[in-house]
Amino acid sequence: MSATVHPNRVEVMISAEQIAERVRQLAAQISADYAGKQPLVVGVLKGAWVLTADLVRQLTIPVRCDFVRVASYGMGTETSGQPKLLLDVLEPVAGADVLVVDDILDTGISVAWLLDHLRTKNPASLRLCVLLDKAERRRVPVTADYVGFSIPDRFVVGYGLDCGEQFRELPFVGHVKGDQ
């Protein structure tokens, strides 16, 4: 983790190169774990679209892809604690090996809600891959099967993550300078 500051006042925590290497490692592990299967990869919008795209391109197994959109943050930096499903999967989930790909596992409220929602659709298996795990903020017991990076309790942006719809385009993960 470096201390480079982006022109947009964002301090780099995890570089684009570190992310690319870790995504390659995660894809290798996922490909091995799902060998002989064709999982349904479900990306969580909006934050995980970059990770989902990069991850599926590194997989060496066939996959089906779909997306869900769950909102609990709005324009703020704190969860409302009330997840709302804005977009559900369209691909069949029943009997499928489902891999949910999310940007960050924070309080666990939204992810736990989403996993419970997908379980009602009777998948053969259900696993979770997250780029970032902020375990010290967990309010609901959720554990990811695949974790890119464990990070401290800071509000992060970049690589698909935003703050008020800004900073998603950054190729790295960082925090807005001055945010402790």
Side-chain angles (χ1 to χ4, degrees), residues 39-59:
L40 172 60
V41 176
V42 177
V44 181
L45 296 174
K46 292 183 188 175
W49 66 274
V50 176
L51 171 61
T52 303
D54 286 351
L55 182 68
V56 298
R57 289 182 298 196
Q58 294 291 325
L59 293 172

Side-chain angles (χ1 to χ4, degrees), residues 18 24 27 32 34 36 41 50 52 92 119 129 135 146 159 163 175:
Q18 290 171 304
R24 278 191 289 278
Y34 285 96
V41 176
V50 176
T52 303
R119 278 187 199 98
C129 174
Y146 307 97
Y159 197 71
C163 180
H175 69 94

Side-chain angles (χ1 to χ4, degrees), residues 98-146:
V98 177
L99 175 64
V100 174
V101 178
D102 206 355
D103 53 358
I104 188 166
L105 179 52
D106 191 344
T107 64
I109 294 170
S110 293
V111 171
W113 183 91
L114 176 60
L115 293 175
D116 286 345
H117 170 73
L118 291 171
R119 278 187 199 98
T120 68
K121 297 176 181 289
N122 300 312
S125 67
L126 183 60
R127 294 184 182 170
L128 175 63
C129 174
V130 297
L131 178 67
L132 306 170
D133 186 5
K134 206 187 294 185
E136 65 189 86
R137 293 215 355 126
R138 200 83 76 245
R139 288 195 234 163
V140 176
V142 178
T143 303
D145 300 281
Y146 307 97

